[in-house]
Amino acid sequence: MAKKCNSCGFSNNPNGANCCGRCGKDLNPRYSFWNSAGSDRYKVYDSYSFTCLPKSQYDVLKKAEKEVNQSLWKQQLNLIKNFWRYSTSGFWEGLKEGWKEDDDKWGCLLPWLLILGFVVFMFIRGCVSDTKQISRIKIDNKYGIGYSEGKMLIPAIYDSISPKPIGNNQWFLYDLNTNLYGLAFVNDSIQNTIPTVYSDITVGGDLAILKKNNNIEGRSYLAVNGLIDNTTGYESLKYPGQYLSEAKVFIVKDDNKLFYLMDRAGRKLSNDYSRIAVSNDSVIIASNDIKSYTRALHTLYDYEGNKLTDRTFTRIRDYSDGVTWGTITENDAKLNKWTLIDNHGNVLFNKHVKYGTIKDFKEGLGWYQKASNSKYVAIDKQGRDLFEIDAYQVYPFTLGIAPVYKGTSYSNKRLGFVNSKGETVIPFKYHAKYSNPEFDKDSLMDVRLGGIEGKLHRNGRFIPK
């Protein structure tokens, strides 16, 4: 409950306050009523007058005000100054007297205690890590791996070893005479080595792909934690994705020139295929050649080797924007009935198109050409036709607009841009420098206007070179 001041009537003083926040007078009624001298016991200031003070008292108050407003680091410096001022009587006496002079003792001392604790922790950590750190060690111009010369895990018999481990505890080994590489997987409990007989090694995490070339053919090998799963190797070994450390499935080409999917333990995950290609959007397309109109059947897998659908496709394009176009049956292919398929293998919708003239999706939109009137139609992923346009050629959307060539032939075609409603946003008077026009990261595209080359900005401004 708030306290009310009997002097000025201010009623928002905290319950535990001794003086008024407005006038500064004592809020204690016992002293105010019975002892007029005590009524100013907690008086902070007089709002109606100034008080003259002796210079010495004024200096003391100004010093106190300065100390209250000074920064934390200055408070630390004052604490140190007080300590040194009294340190002539001894370390502990100096600390005790300096402690007495500082009002906010723990507030000033706590940061220094934290810093001291951090220094001690780092010192102990350094001592421990020095004794347990695995590193490359040189002995008599040869290299090995261990804690020290007296605690070697891999003997010093190699011409060179990588200065630090690559991936997860893996080290390159090198033979100077043969110019070939080996590999060591080393930690406190495991020490595996692969001899220096390989021409190339790719490392990622606890995995490695090693390649051995000879005059006849090359071989590839998969190693996990420094152990090779198949000592006979494979004709080729690839993985989807950008990083080997993230690979969960591998594309193997065996000695019969057939392809299959394999996990990191060497287990076969799929049937044999004529070819396997890594597509975008985490999809692998496995294909078997057949003697028919469509020439192949395609099966979809994800980047972990799981089959996305039991359905096969007679034709299929590369994935873009999470979807792709394909035909399900041979009859669909003959009739140009193309189906949109997502990256989970789900069939979304189909369209009858002219001569297979379909365009990849980008930014959620795609194109197909009508079989009935040869017009190009912009379409979304729900299968809705957005608008039609007479055009010589269309391209995927880029930064919200689509490059479109209008004209009747290659010689008179002109490039312009339309938005998702089919409205012209950049007039048809340009030629793109490259076959697949697209705005770069700076919203610019290389074009030609008449005989002048330059850059076209997304806002329609042409910048001559």
Side-chain angles (χ1 to χ4, degrees), residues 3 6 17-18 25-33 41-42:
K3 280 185 179 181
N6 293 327
N18 293 309
K25 291 188 177 181
D26 194 355
L27 294 175
N28 192 326
R30 182 165 63 93
Y31 281 94
S32 299
F33 180 78
R41 183 168 61 101
Y42 291 110

Side-chain angles (χ1 to χ4, degrees), residues 204-217:
D206 57 358
L207 299 172
I209 294 179
L210 305 94
K211 294 182 180 180
K212 186 188 293 185
N213 293 324
N214 53 40
N215 295 329
I216 302 174
E217 61 181 4

